[in-house]
Amino acid sequence: EVQLVESGGGLVQPGRSMKLSCAASGFTFNNYDMAWVCQAPKKGLEWVATISYDGSSTYYRDSVKGRFTISRDNAKSTLYLQMDSLRSEDTATYYCARENTYYGYDWGQGVMVTVSS
Amino acid sequence: DTVMTQSPASMSTSVGERVTVNCKASQSVGTVVAWFQQKPGQSPKRLIYLATNRHTGVPDRFTGSGFGRDFTLTISNVEAEDLAVYYCLQYDSIPWTFGGGTKLELK
């Protein structure tokens, strides 16, 4: 069974940094592209970033380019999202997701990030 | 980027009715569309993949259809447990993009 468990969220001040982690299990991690998807309170789902199975390619939505960095450690089956220069509009639940080209996304349970002074 | 325009944004229904949710892609995505259901406080749940295929365990009252740019999720004989927000997703081209969501409520 695919399991994706996020950690690292919480309250952070504007302009500060936060790093999210996602521990993956139940599948061969280094066979899959991985992504972060966010959902602001009472809003819809938005793709944030994707990293290829081997970490060689990364993609970001425009609003986070230059501020967020997606990375992975295949030896530890762990996905990361380093978020710098955080803004109030980054407040959201962040989901770790496995990109399955057949089914779409497999989802973690999500972790809340609140950017506020 | 491929924009997925989902409609309606919300709809009211009664138990036992049939409802349809639509997604229109800004360019052809073939059949590479999925539908997800999200209930409050939960992560999204897979319903339909590759436009028409029902995931294991999804009741057959959920049906997906469409090809190219126009896609539909139909829920027949709505049950109270179906009240949720539904999202379409195109995963044909990077970045994968979602529709804005449809909230299904009881009249």
Side-chain angles (χ1 to χ4, degrees), chain B residues 4-25:
Chain B
M4 299 296 283
T5 302
Q6 188 172 340
S7 61
S10 64
M11 59 194 311
S12 296
T13 187
S14 301
V15 171
E17 289 193 345
R18 177 176 176 266
V19 299
T20 60
V21 181
N22 300 292
C23 262
K24 188 174 189 72

Side-chain angles (χ1 to χ4, degrees), chain A residues 7-57:
Chain A
S7 59
L11 176 64
V12 62
Q13 293 180 327
R16 303 297 292 267
S17 298
M18 178 173 277
K19 187 171 187 175
L20 305 181
S21 300
C22 170
S25 61
F27 65 100
T28 304
F29 184 69
N30 58 13
N31 281 355
Y32 289 87
D33 295 353
M34 297 293 294
W36 289 96
V37 176
C38 73
Q39 185 170 37
K42 308 262 188 224
K43 299 293 185 182
L45 299 163
E46 287 189 332
W47 167 80
V48 176
T50 291
I51 186 167
S52 61
Y53 67 99
D54 61 356
S56 63
S57 298

Side-chain angles (χ1 to χ4, degrees), chain B residues 22-107:
Chain B
N22 300 292
C23 262
K24 188 174 189 72
S26 59
Q27 59 192 32
S28 176
V29 294
T31 59
V32 194
V33 166
W35 291 93
F36 296 89
Q37 176 194 65
Q38 188 179 34
K39 296 182 179 179
Q42 296 183 16
S43 55
K45 171 191 169 185
R46 296 187 306 203
L47 294 176
I48 303 289
Y49 64 95
L50 294 176
T52 62
N53 298 274
R54 206 176 291 117
H55 275 288
T56 304
V58 174
D60 59 9
R61 63 180 182 274
F62 291 91
T63 304
S65 62
F67 174 82
R69 295 182 59 199
D70 293 293
F71 300 88
T72 299
L73 173 70
T74 301
I75 311 173
S76 305
N77 297 314
V78 167
E79 297 190 5
E81 66 180 23
D82 301 335
L83 303 180
V85 181
Y86 294 85
Y87 294 94
C88 62
L89 165 75
Q90 73 80 19
Y91 50 113
D92 179 64
S93 61
I94 294 172
W96 294 8
T97 46
F98 295 93
T102 296
K103 186 174 185 179
L104 186 61
E105 300 173 300
L106 267 183
K107 278 182 184 168

